[in-house]
Amino acid sequence: ENLVALHGAETIAAVMVEPIAGSTGVLVPPKGYLERLRALCTKHGILLIFDEVITGFGRIGTNFGAERLGVTPDIMTMAKGLTNAAVPMGAVAVRNGVYDAIVEGAPTGIELFHGYTYSGHPLAAAAAIATMELHREEDLPGRARAIEPLWQEATHSLRDLPNVIDIRDYGLIAGIELAPRGGKPGQRAMEVFRRCFDSGVLIRVTGDIIALSPPLIIEPKHIDRLYGTLSDAIRAEAA
């Protein structure tokens, strides 16, 4: 609200956020944050854009993060899960009002004169269709929701390990934040990454935060192996 007052709503075209910030370390929004953001954007005529590249396609137990979090954006971007990341592809969904503004405001001919050489690539389109069919047939969002309690229990089992200073999770996403080594930020998490990799487990680190985002077909035995390996690696890097 203060930024709108400072700069003027007419200078702000849109606000773009991840429903749950992934690449910055799995930052789950405080209760009411997205609802308040939606209300402010609506009040001042500012478009609200959700980047659903991470939270979309079942990651947090629903088709999209907006659905589970109960906030509807004006525009939604998506990728990765659209084709199971087998082939690069991205897409944008917009509400009716945005669509109508583009179509009705366009000159005769092409409504949105914008595109790339590889737009609508048949291989990517085929991968997307196959992926969406599997999502429906196997109810992958429902599967993620069902195994979420076990995932959360395993995630929080790390809370008393050396140098674990915070744990954040939602759906099948988790962030384990480690205390950095003095003068060597990121080193501890990277060493944990290397130990896990050498043991056949692939994790992701961003700074000193371990970010986990498993396949939606993960099974209890995989969760046990993942967190067992991760626990051993964190203990080994206690110094």
Side-chain angles (χ1 to χ4, degrees):
E1 188 74 67
N2 291 337
L3 288 174
V4 173
L6 177 63
H7 297 287
E10 71 280 2
T11 69
I12 305 172
V15 173
M16 186 173 189
V17 298
E18 291 181 282
I20 298 173
S23 59
T24 52
V26 187
L27 304 178
V28 180
K31 287 185 177 180
Y33 173 80
L34 292 176
E35 291 87 344
R36 177 61 174 156
L37 194 58
R38 172 70 278 179
L40 284 172
C41 287
T42 300
K43 174 183 176 181
H44 295 289
I46 298 169
L47 294 175
L48 178 60
I49 304 173
F50 276 4
D51 174 353
E52 292 257 17
V53 171
I54 291 178
T55 52
F57 299 105
R59 174 58 52 193
I60 62 173
T62 49
N63 289 320
F64 293 97
E67 184 179 349
R68 181 163 180 184
L69 295 167
V71 177
T72 303
D74 301 298
I75 299 174
M76 182 187 298
T77 64
M78 60 196 84
K80 291 183 181 177
L82 182 59
T83 63
N84 194 36
V87 182
M89 190 178 198
V92 178
V94 302
R95 65 175 175 81
N96 289 339
V98 175
Y99 174 85
D100 292 341
I102 293 172
V103 173
E104 294 174 6
T108 303
I110 300 175
E111 291 88 355
L112 183 61
F113 202 84
H114 177 74
Y116 296 98
T117 302
Y118 292 106
S119 292
H121 194 285
L123 177 59
I129 291 171
T131 300
M132 294 304 99
E133 288 176 350
L134 281 173
H135 269 263
R136 286 192 295 268
E137 292 171 3
E138 300 187 14
D139 185 22
L140 293 184
R143 195 179 188 287
R145 196 73 174 263
I147 205 168
E148 180 181 333
L150 180 60
W151 173 260
Q152 291 181 337
E153 181 182 356
T155 301
H156 287 272
S157 71
L158 306 178
R159 62 184 176 275
D160 294 325
L161 293 184
N163 300 302
V164 173
I165 59 175
D166 194 23
I167 291 178
R168 302 178 288 274
D169 65 274
Y170 200 99
L172 291 190
I173 309 175
I176 298 94
E177 187 166 354
L178 305 178
R181 289 195 171 115
K184 298 178 180 179
Q187 185 192 68
R188 190 189 306 279
M190 182 53 66
E191 291 302 322
V192 170
F193 168 86
R194 291 193 179 102
R195 288 182 180 275
C196 287
F197 187 81
D198 290 342
S199 298
V201 170
L202 181 63
I203 63 173
R204 177 184 179 182
V205 297
T206 174
D208 274 297
I209 300 170
I210 298 165
L212 304 175
S213 183
L216 301 183
I217 58 171
I218 194 169
E219 299 176 6
K221 63 181 180 181
H222 302 138
I223 294 177
D224 290 342
R225 182 184 177 193
L226 166 61
Y227 280 98
T229 302
L230 182 55
S231 176
D232 291 343
I234 292 174
R235 292 179 190 277
E237 292 299 324

